[in-house]
Amino acid sequence: MKQSAKITIAAILVIGVFSISVLTVPAFADWGKFSYPQIQGTIPVSSGDNFEQKNGIALSVAMAVGENSVSDGKAVYAKLADVNGFLVHKVMVITDDHAFYKILVDAGNGEALYVSDMIKKDYSHKKASNEKHNEKMKNYFKGMSEEQITEKKRQFKEMGEAYKSLSIQDRASMVIHFMQMKLQWDTMSDDEKAQKRTDMKQMFQEYLPLTLEEKKQKLHEYIQSLN
């Protein structure tokens, strides 16, 4: 498969992955606004440091630590970050009922430095953080009947379920590939981005109608193609 095709497919799958449901997606809007307590890590960092070079544990390990730090839920996302001057993996774990946890995992020894309480917010009343998401969903569902909207939401949810059914290693591989794709996206011209958006929209429409088992199989096959 050509690299450009891989990038497009990855983007499609990521859209589905992070559309776990129309309720949980806005949680990512608050990702960088969360106030963490003072923590003591093992890898001090400062502005301008190369986090990847200083990182001591695999993303899959950080996600596993985060997932094992709560009683239920799946780790769906993680990223390296500077918190209070120490390098950590910020891990998001989402539960089946759309609640989520934020966990800080030490990038040196893999210790869980902080585990939030379960967070379950009513985003329908948070206009500031949810307005952009609501507008996108309104445009997406424009012209659809109530039955069609219900069916689309079910398909979105199944994409999330298919993603969460993957192993920790496979989920980590998907996140890493998504990050790499974002870096490549930043180097594209406006015309190239416009074409990718068209391709993504078309392919996403093809993935949504698949059954849950078909979605799982497609995700699994794609992850295997990255190895």
Side-chain angles (χ1 to χ4, degrees):
M1 183 183 298
K2 294 182 179 180
Q3 182 64 22
S4 60
K6 282 188 176 182
I7 294 172
T8 303
I9 294 174
I12 296 303
L13 297 179
V14 167
I15 290 173
V17 165
F18 293 107
S19 294
I20 291 171
S21 78
V22 293
L23 297 178
T24 57
V25 172
F28 288 91
D30 294 336
W31 184 247
K33 303 175 184 178
F34 195 76
S35 296
Y36 295 98
Q38 291 294 318
I39 53 106
Q40 185 76 29
T42 61
I43 302 179
V45 290
S46 57
S47 177
D49 284 352
N50 187 316
F51 290 174
E52 290 293 343
Q53 288 184 354
K54 289 198 168 187
N55 177 40
I57 64 171
L59 188 72
S60 58
V61 172
M63 291 174 68
V65 171
E67 192 168 299
N68 292 333
S69 297
V70 299
S71 59
D72 67 316
K74 294 285 188 177
V76 298
Y77 185 68
K79 66 175 292 186
L80 283 169
D82 173 358
V83 174
N84 301 330
F86 294 98
L87 187 62
V88 300
H89 288 268
K90 290 182 177 180
V91 181
M92 178 177 281
V93 175
I94 294 183
T95 68
D96 288 339
D97 60 352
H98 312 307
F100 61 96
Y101 299 89
K102 295 186 177 184
I103 299 102
L104 299 182
V105 178
D106 190 284
N109 61 17
E111 177 185 352
L113 301 175
Y114 168 76
V115 180
S116 75
D117 292 331
M118 182 186 289
I119 303 167
K120 190 168 186 178
K121 299 180 180 180
D122 181 2
Y123 288 100
S124 63
H125 299 296
K126 291 194 66 177
K127 183 176 181 180
S129 63
N130 199 30
E131 184 175 352
K132 187 175 181 180
H133 172 71
N134 280 343
E135 186 64 26
K136 286 184 178 180
M137 298 312 297
K138 181 180 179 180
N139 290 336
Y140 184 83
F141 294 136
K142 186 176 181 180
M144 295 185 187
S145 66
E146 288 298 321
E147 291 77 11
Q148 290 172 322
I149 292 174
T150 298
E151 175 62 14
K152 286 296 181 184
K153 288 182 178 180
R154 184 191 66 79
Q155 293 172 350
F156 281 138
K157 184 177 180 181
E158 283 190 350
M159 287 295 291
E161 291 174 359
Y163 174 65
K164 290 190 289 184
S165 74
L166 296 172
S167 68
I168 282 279
Q169 184 63 53
D170 283 350
R171 273 177 270 149
S173 295
M174 195 68 177
V175 172
I176 291 171
H177 195 61
F178 169 58
M179 292 176 178
Q180 293 172 340
M181 185 198 70
K182 284 185 65 179
L183 291 175
Q184 292 175 328
W185 181 268
D186 292 338
T187 66
M188 293 180 183
S189 67
D190 290 342
D191 288 343
E192 288 173 328
K193 289 179 180 179
Q195 184 59 52
K196 290 297 182 185
R197 291 190 185 100
T198 299
D199 293 341
M200 284 189 281
K201 181 177 180 180
Q202 179 180 346
M203 293 188 70
F204 189 44
Q205 295 303 323
E206 293 174 1
Y207 272 82
L208 275 179
L210 299 177
T211 66
L212 177 56
E213 290 305 314
E214 289 172 335
K215 290 183 175 78
K216 289 180 180 180
Q217 184 63 29
K218 287 289 186 181
L219 276 174
H220 179 71
E221 290 174 357
Y222 179 71
I223 295 297
Q224 294 303 307
S225 75
L226 299 178
N227 298 329

